[in-house]
Amino acid sequence: MSGGPITSQRVAIALVCVVALVGCCGLAWWQWTRFESASGTFQNLGYVLQWPLFGLFPAFMVWRIRKLDAQRKAEPPVVAPTPVVTVDAVRAPAVDEDDELAVYNRYLAELNSRDQR
């Protein structure tokens, strides 16, 4: 791993990647022996191909995170512009309410006053 001194964290990450790869290759070997046995199926053969990919995944993620981190550090910081806030004028409610709406609004006002008690 390049990019700085070797630390215990880097050693631990590398160890996890190696253990994952070795463990998954062992599982692939086990699936291969299952495939070669009398009860083996093509599903076992599929697992033979799949387990090494699982083993490589932690190393791929370390590589990807380091690449994204290097890109983030290389880019200049983006300063967001100050947002412009606009406010629309408040419109007065329509004065010409019909009688049914006025009755309903009085009813709602009465219910609200009951809730306030």
Side-chain angles (χ1 to χ4, degrees):
M1 293 183 181
S2 64
I6 296 176
T7 63
S8 61
Q9 183 181 15
R10 287 178 182 239
V11 171
I13 290 171
L15 185 64
V16 167
C17 290
V18 169
V19 167
L21 182 60
V22 169
C24 288
C25 285
L27 288 168
W29 177 257
W30 171 67
Q31 286 294 334
W32 179 256
T33 60
R34 294 281 300 153
F35 173 69
E36 287 183 330
S37 70
S39 63
T41 64
F42 283 104
Q43 183 176 10
N44 298 114
L45 184 60
Y47 287 138
V48 168
L49 303 172
Q50 195 174 20
W51 277 114
L53 294 176
F54 288 156
L56 289 172
F57 187 73
F60 169 75
M61 287 306 298
V62 169
W63 171 79
R64 180 73 175 145
I65 289 170
R66 290 175 56 96
K67 182 180 173 185
L68 290 174
D69 192 40
Q71 284 178 352
R72 183 184 54 83
K73 288 178 181 176
E75 294 175 358
V78 177
V79 178
T82 305
V84 177
V85 178
T86 58
V87 179
D88 292 333
V90 177
R91 297 177 187 232
V95 177
D96 55 332
E97 294 180 346
D98 59 21
D99 292 335
E100 188 175 339
L101 182 60
V103 170
Y104 182 68
N105 284 336
R106 281 194 299 273
Y107 173 70
L108 290 177
E110 180 185 336
L111 289 177
N112 186 33
S113 67
R114 287 183 192 170
D115 281 345
Q116 298 301 323
R117 293 184 205 161

